[in-house]
Amino acid sequence: MRKSTLLLAIISLLSIPLVIIGQSNSNFTIQGKIDTVPNAEYRIIYKNNEKVIHDSLQLSADRTFTFSGNIGEPTRINFIIDNDFNPRLVKDQIVYSFWVSPGDRLDFHGLTGWLSGPRENLNIDKNKYKLNGSALDKSAIAYNENRRAVYLANKDQKNTTELGDSILSKFIQSNPNNFYSLDLLNRSFPSLKGQPALVNTLYNALSNELKNSYTGKLLNKKIMAHPHLIIGKDLPTFELSNAEGDLVNLEDFRGKYVLVDFWASWCGPCREEFPYLRSLYNEYKSKKFEILAVSIDESRADWLSAIDNDKLSWTNVLDTGGFSGELYQVFGLKGVPDNFLLDKEGKIVARNLRGSQLKTVLDKLILQNK
């Protein structure tokens, strides 16, 4: 009986509307109304390929608005307000979040009721809206509703991971032109990367159009890089711009011991490490030790200011975009600080070393190669 329920639910997943990309018009427009106070303001965040777009809108006196933007592929758009009501959340609050595609002309109605529960246990529902014109948003809602139904119908099944993988696989293989298939696989990659055969099967099931999109190419880079991000493997090469705007390639450092250090100007623990790194760099640079510092700052000005204030004399490059930066995603980082120590051939010797640990490993590495 359980298998029949699962099969029926998966079949309903396959009836989700077709969504493709490749619209020639990259502009989208949202017209709408939000059930809140007149003239309320919202911050808007969405992605245009690799760029994170920060914008804003203000409702009129009758609580209506029109918002437009340009995107190269489908993306989620987030309506955000200041968080002065949820003590469990450090950052500001996403109130509404939905899909928009190039060429969309959407009719949006933001409803009340997205916040419920007592102050000490608030519940946020980002789906309290009505939206017309977004086939992709209908896909996402239908998939998640059906997925929940499958889990409820099979709540006694012990291996929920296998169940989830089955739902995901069925959807992607049956919807190769749907951008939501690509989005699901991209977001699920961290949990699936231990199953390379399954990942490759699902990626290859996608249409060429999806594979050639920005997200499709980014996912392919993740898949290709993952086996090489372990001790003993060559760290995948990359190329980023320095403070002068010149491109710096990891290959430029072959023949040297290199610490590839990921950081950001807003990261306290990262900058607390710099005095020690300065001392270590001055002691070992004559022994062919180099630091390639990769900032994930979204603000170039903040990055340059931190370099100057902290007197970072080694090579500095910028992977702009914060946690959405391309290299940050390709390398599967989970935060900063993080680093890779490489030998002269570019092989990973150690990862995420701090303080005296770095000096100990570096001493041993240099001694072995005398």
Side-chain angles (χ1 to χ4, degrees):
M1 184 68 177
R2 184 177 297 124
K3 289 183 178 179
S4 298
T5 304
L6 173 59
L7 179 59
L8 287 172
I10 289 177
I11 288 173
S12 67
L13 281 175
L14 307 186
S15 65
I16 287 175
L18 175 70
V19 178
I20 61 174
I21 62 172
Q23 303 288 340
S24 57
N25 185 359
S26 62
N27 176 266
F28 69 88
T29 299
I30 306 168
Q31 291 185 321
K33 180 177 182 178
I34 298 179
D35 295 338
T36 186
V37 296
N39 307 117
E41 297 182 1
Y42 293 84
R43 291 194 302 284
I44 306 296
I45 296 180
Y46 61 96
K47 290 183 66 176
N48 182 12
N49 294 343
E50 76 279 10
K51 295 181 181 179
V52 179
I53 308 299
H54 296 263
D55 209 330
S56 63
L57 66 81
Q58 182 174 18
L59 303 184
S60 64
D62 62 356
R63 300 171 296 170
T64 61
F65 70 91
T66 299
F67 182 85
S68 296
N70 291 285
I71 50 177
E73 67 177 30
T75 187
R76 291 195 72 92
I77 188 165
N78 301 296
F79 286 48
I80 300 170
I81 61 174
D82 293 338
N83 174 36
D84 57 3
F85 52 85
N86 188 355
R88 295 188 303 159
L89 185 69
V90 175
K91 58 185 180 180
D92 291 334
Q93 182 64 59
I94 298 175
V95 181
Y96 306 111
S97 181
F98 55 90
W99 281 96
V100 58
S101 300
D104 273 353
R105 298 292 179 264
L106 305 182
D107 182 19
F108 175 83
H109 184 186
L111 306 174
T112 58
W114 52 266
L115 181 66
S116 61
R119 181 175 173 81
E120 63 274 10
N121 190 29
L122 289 172
N123 179 56
I124 310 296
D125 185 351
K126 302 171 189 174
N127 296 315
K128 285 289 185 179
Y129 63 84
K130 295 179 180 179
L131 184 68
N132 294 318
S134 176
L136 185 54
D137 203 60
K138 289 181 180 179
S139 286
I141 292 172
Y143 174 85
N144 286 295
E145 287 179 349
N146 280 279
R147 187 171 184 270
R148 281 192 292 270
V150 172
Y151 274 105
L152 287 173
N154 296 270
K155 59 185 178 182
D156 296 330
Q157 184 168 326
K158 293 182 179 180
N159 195 340
T160 56
T161 299
E162 183 178 312
L163 178 61
D165 290 350
S166 175
I167 299 169
L168 180 80
S169 299
K170 291 285 186 181
F171 179 80
I172 292 174
Q173 291 176 318
S174 300
N175 296 273
N177 297 308
N178 191 323
F179 189 87
Y180 197 64
S181 293
L182 172 59
D183 177 71
L184 282 172
L185 184 55
N186 185 47
R187 287 189 290 112
S188 301
F189 180 71
S191 62
L192 292 176
K193 58 189 179 184
Q195 304 179 66
L198 176 60
V199 170
N200 287 327
T201 295
L202 296 180
Y203 182 78
N204 290 330
L206 298 173
S207 68
N208 288 333
E209 186 178 20
L210 287 179
K211 291 177 187 175
N212 288 323
S213 67
Y214 169 76
T215 299
K217 291 177 180 178
L218 176 63
L219 177 56
N220 186 50
K221 290 177 182 178
K222 292 181 186 180
I223 294 170
M224 298 297 289
H226 175 66
H228 301 277
L229 297 172
I230 57 176
I231 306 298
K233 295 289 187 178
D234 290 350
L235 184 69
T237 192
F238 59 88
E239 188 174 69
L240 292 168
S241 295
N242 63 16
E244 290 73 38
D246 299 321
L247 289 174
V248 177
N249 195 302
L250 181 60
E251 292 289 331
D252 300 338
F253 294 84
R254 283 297 171 92
K256 298 181 179 180
Y257 308 106
V258 184
L259 181 72
V260 181
D261 187 49
F262 288 87
W263 69 288
S265 64
W266 43 260
C267 171
C270 301
R271 298 181 70 170
E272 288 172 4
E273 189 78 3
F274 286 157
Y276 185 84
L277 285 181
R278 280 200 304 270
S279 174
L280 198 69
Y281 183 64
N282 291 332
E283 181 181 352
Y284 286 92
K285 62 182 179 181
S286 62
K287 300 178 182 180
K288 297 188 175 182
F289 173 63
E290 288 292 339
I291 298 175
L292 176 55
V294 182
S295 168
I296 65 168
D297 274 291
E298 291 187 51
S299 168
R300 180 178 175 83
D302 289 348
W303 170 56
L304 293 175
S305 177
I307 291 174
D308 182 57
N309 291 336
D310 292 356
K311 298 178 174 57
L312 308 185
S313 59
W314 45 76
T315 303
N316 292 279
V317 294
L318 181 62
D319 178 35
T320 186
F323 299 131
S324 297
E326 182 170 310
L327 190 61
Y328 182 93
Q329 293 189 69
V330 169
F331 279 11
L333 304 185
K334 297 180 179 179
V336 288
D338 201 346
N339 61 46
F340 297 85
L341 181 62
L342 312 182
D343 66 13
K344 290 183 178 181
E345 286 71 47
K347 285 185 171 55
I348 302 171
V349 176
R351 173 136 186 218
N352 210 14
L353 296 175
R354 293 284 173 268
S356 60
Q357 284 184 323
L358 176 57
K359 179 177 171 57
T360 299
V361 175
L362 191 57
D363 277 334
K364 183 178 179 181
L365 185 61
I366 293 173
L367 184 64
Q368 287 175 341
N369 287 274
K370 277 189 175 181

